[in-house]
């Protein structure tokens, strides 16, 4: 009888320990999603406009990106908000492509503020908000935290530096950063898109467009700058640039005025 009680007691203790371990594992898996959900609800307008199914898919894409991409800080510690905003910047342009993964990105390096061509964030001549690495820096993205957080703030306007850099990555995924993301658009649309870009670039030169003049740098910058506007102020962009809006909707496979692709 005593032995039976001892065995029963051991079994009960083992069961309770098993349940506690499973509860801890479940809490570990659930906690990041709860944290991300709270931060997304507070800081990411794109996410706020999604329906319940869209939000759940967005959260899963955030988790996938963070599991596959290393985020490092230079002169700063990385916070949960940093992770969520960087991941959101990655997910937003490809939300219309559920299976998309950034094959040309291994890690994101976050600087506290703007930096220079030598990757220094102190001193003069610091005017770089973000950069997609090439050469020995291939597979890396550099971002300014100041620019990152501003892009998701009420003061962002039509600009989002992190989305800008992720659009460059998408553009680069076909082997050329040329403003024509061939992995995202049928080949027959390439020439009409180039012609549309050049017409709008002339309008910018003439002061007849509200697209940031930095878009005049080249076709790649036009795509990235117009994409910032497209995702940040979609209703305004659709009203003022309906043809470009339709083309970007085809390129990105989504309509941010009416989300939930």
């Amino acid at each position: 009888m005593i032995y039976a009680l001892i065995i029963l007691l051991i079994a009960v203790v083992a069961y309770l320990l098993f349940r506690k371990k499973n509860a801890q594992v479940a809490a570990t898996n659930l906690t990041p999603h709860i944290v991300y959900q709270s931060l997304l609800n507070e800081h990411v307008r794109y996410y706020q406009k999604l329906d319940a199914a869209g939000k759940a898919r967005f959260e899963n894409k955030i988790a996938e990106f963070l599991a596959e991409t290393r985020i490092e800080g230079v002169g700063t510690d990385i916070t949960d908000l940093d992770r969520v905003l960087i991941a959101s910047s990655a997910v937003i342009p490809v939300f219309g492509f559920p299976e998309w993964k950034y094959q040309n990105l291994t890690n994101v390096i976050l600087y506290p503020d703007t930096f220079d061509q030598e990757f220094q964030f102190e001193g003069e001549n610091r005017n770089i908000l973000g950069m997609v690495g090439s050469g020995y820096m291939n597979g890396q993205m550099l971002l300014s935290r100041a620019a990152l957080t501003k892009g998701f703030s009420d003061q962002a306007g039509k600009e989002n530096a992190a989305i800008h850099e992720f659009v460059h990555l998408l553009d680069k995924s076909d082997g050329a950063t040329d403003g024509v993301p061939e992995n995202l658009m049928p080949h027959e649309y390439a020439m009409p898109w180039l012609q549309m870009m050049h017409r709008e670039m002339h309008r910018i030169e003439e002061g007849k467009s509200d697209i940031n003049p930095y878009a005049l740098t080249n076709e790649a910058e036009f795509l990235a700058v117009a994409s910032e506007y497209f995702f940040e102020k979609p209703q305004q962009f659709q009203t003022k640039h309906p043809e470009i809006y339709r083309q970007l909707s085809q390129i990105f496979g989504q309509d941010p005025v009416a989300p939930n692709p």
Side-chain angles (χ1 to χ4, degrees), residues 182-201:
E182 295 181 21
N183 286 337
L184 302 183
M185 63 189 302
H187 180 72
E188 60 269 24
Y189 290 145
M191 187 55 66
W193 170 236
L194 281 169
Q195 292 170 345
M196 192 180 298
M197 279 197 289
H198 291 152
R199 284 197 300 271
E200 192 63 27
M201 289 168 86

Side-chain angles (χ1 to χ4, degrees), residues 94-115:
V94 297
F95 199 56
F97 304 96
E99 304 304 317
W100 182 274
K101 293 185 183 296
Y102 288 94
Q103 304 293 340
N104 53 353
L105 180 69
T106 56
N107 63 309
V108 177
I109 302 172
L110 189 67
Y111 285 78
D113 207 332
T114 52
F115 51 94

Side-chain angles (χ1 to χ4, degrees), residues 156-252:
K158 298 172 288 189
E159 300 176 354
N160 187 306
I163 287 178
H164 181 112
E165 297 306 325
F166 277 102
V167 170
H168 277 322
L169 267 188
L170 294 176
D171 188 9
K172 187 180 181 181
S173 67
D174 60 15
T177 310
D178 56 3
V180 183
E182 295 181 21
N183 286 337
L184 302 183
M185 63 189 302
H187 180 72
E188 60 269 24
Y189 290 145
M191 187 55 66
W193 170 236
L194 281 169
Q195 292 170 345
M196 192 180 298
M197 279 197 289
H198 291 152
R199 284 197 300 271
E200 192 63 27
M201 289 168 86
H202 285 306
R203 284 173 45 79
I204 296 171
E205 286 179 326
E206 295 170 353
K208 298 178 180 178
S209 173
D210 68 337
I211 294 176
N212 190 324
Y214 189 67
L216 292 173
T217 306
N218 52 46
E219 289 85 352
E221 295 299 345
F222 182 95
L223 172 64
V225 168
S227 298
E228 293 179 69
Y229 192 168
F230 175 77
F231 287 114
E232 285 298 307
K233 297 289 183 183
Q235 186 68 66
Q236 179 178 326
F237 190 70
Q238 184 184 51
T239 300
K240 295 193 173 185
H241 309 279
E243 290 186 17
I244 302 175
Y245 185 93
R246 281 194 294 271
Q247 185 62 64
L248 289 179
S249 290
Q250 290 181 331
I251 289 174
F252 292 115

Side-chain angles (χ1 to χ4, degrees), residues 6 15 66 93 161 170 179 214 258:
I6 292 173
Y15 174 73
L66 292 174
L170 294 176
Y214 189 67

Side-chain angles (χ1 to χ4, degrees), residues 72-83 85-86 109-115 128-129 142-152:
E72 307 171 58
V74 173
T76 187
D77 293 326
I78 300 299
T79 67
D80 284 333
L81 180 58
D82 294 329
R83 293 185 182 91
L85 295 186
I86 290 170
I109 302 172
L110 189 67
Y111 285 78
D113 207 332
T114 52
F115 51 94
I128 301 176
L129 305 178
L142 286 69
L143 286 174
S144 153
R145 174 189 277 132
L148 172 69
T149 55
K150 182 181 178 181
F152 287 92

